[in-house]
Amino acid sequence: MSEEGLFEAVDTYINSLFVEDDPVLERAVERAAAAGLPEIQVSPGQGKLIYLLAKMIGARRILEVGTLGGYSTVWLGRALHKDGELVSIELEPAHVKVARETLADAGLDGSCRVVEGKALDAMQALSPPFDMVFLDANKDGYPAYLKQAIRLVRPGGLIVADNVVREGAVLKPSSVDANAIGAAAFNQALASHPQLEAIILQQVGVKGHDGLAVARVKD
Ligand code: SAH
Ligand code: DHB
Ligand code: MG
């Protein structure tokens, strides 16, 4: 077996151990695929990880940036503290429509709201405090989204960002790869920001080689 095949097989093994069969999540993936959305949602294991992070801090207000069809939104919405709320921002109307259907199917339409619009505009319109921000939209926007996330997240809260390794492209971003340039600038800002303590989890598996950044806003 190739190294890549082995990493994927182990990821599948982990997912099958720690993520139970879940009709709502399965329907979410099917609904998104049937509507022609790209299949780029977080993996089951990544969903479980962001769910656990939100639960560990007892999150009552979560902001997601980049909803797609609402797969990660369901994970985060399920982690919300009773009476908590989640806002998820999505640019594409077709994605918003699927996400709203999936949230209704999950019984989360009372607590989770999808805002249609550009991430930066929508973030600027929000007021603190959030307990957690999950960044997963266009990676060239990450540096600007980080500034907003720092404004919005309370002390002790979390900023989590997907796709910050990009098969290693962040080591030396090509001048034509705006996403790698954005992710690399984001990582640099995350590492050097005086209000943050952070790390990147390098990940291999069903979504290839990438990474998830996790940062805590200092008290
Ligand atoms: N979080 C989702 C995956 C998000 S994919 C999940 O794991 O299930 C990235 C999403 O960001 C896409 O739906 C894309 O339309 C959206 N997006 C891209 N640029 C955006 C922008 N400027 N503002 C808001 N959303 C954007
Ligand atoms: C891709 C993967 C992601 O997790 C994402 O947020 C955007 C794009 C991709 O594989 O292209
Ligand atoms: Mg992603």
Side-chain angles (χ1 to χ4, degrees):
M1 193 188 279
S2 70
E3 209 165 55
E4 238 175 50
L6 180 60
F7 291 152
E8 192 170 334
V10 172
D11 198 14
T12 300
Y13 159 82
I14 294 168
N15 293 338
S16 66
L17 270 178
F18 294 101
V19 183
E20 285 167 19
D21 286 342
D22 188 319
V24 167
L25 289 174
E26 282 157 23
R27 285 199 295 275
V29 171
E30 284 162 16
R31 188 177 291 112
L37 271 50
E39 295 194 34
I40 54 174
Q41 68 277 356
V42 294
S43 71
Q46 290 171 324
K48 181 79 178 272
L49 176 59
I50 59 175
Y51 162 89
L52 284 171
L53 290 170
K55 273 215 146 170
M56 283 169 181
I57 59 162
R60 289 164 196 268
R61 282 191 92 207
I62 298 176
L63 172 62
E64 175 177 68
V65 182
T67 319
L68 191 63
Y71 180 86
S72 55
T73 323
V74 170
W75 277 107
L76 291 170
R78 286 175 171 174
L80 278 174
H81 194 275
K82 188 167 100 34
D83 301 327
E85 58 161 1
L86 178 152
V87 177
S88 186
I89 305 168
E90 173 55 52
L91 182 63
E92 297 294 337
H95 300 187
V96 172
K97 183 169 177 281
V98 172
R100 287 184 179 145
E101 287 169 13
T102 281
L103 289 170
D105 186 28
L108 292 168
D109 45 338
S111 56
C112 302
R113 176 165 66 91
V114 184
V115 173
E116 186 177 311
K118 286 188 186 166
L120 190 57
D121 298 344
M123 290 181 92
Q124 280 166 343
L126 292 168
S127 301
F130 281 85
D131 301 298
M132 178 169 172
V133 171
F134 176 54
L135 299 178
D136 198 16
N138 55 317
K139 320 308 166 192
D140 57 333
Y142 273 23
Y145 305 156
L146 178 61
K147 288 193 179 144
Q148 288 300 313
I150 291 165
R151 180 180 69 81
L152 291 168
V153 174
R154 65 161 169 89
L158 300 182
I159 299 169
V160 178
D162 193 24
N163 312 113
V164 299
V165 168
R166 315 196 62 79
E167 299 178 307
V170 289
L171 293 178
K172 199 173 176 293
S174 141
S175 59
V176 295
D177 187 348
N179 287 323
I181 292 169
F186 172 86
N187 294 341
Q188 176 63 51
L190 203 66
S192 59
H193 198 287
Q195 270 174 270
L196 299 176
E197 297 183 288
I199 194 63
I200 292 169
L201 306 176
Q202 180 174 212
Q203 302 188 307
V204 287
V206 295
K207 289 196 71 181
H209 175 207
D210 215 320
L212 193 81
V214 181
R216 180 181 185 273
V217 178
K218 289 183 186 171
D219 300 297

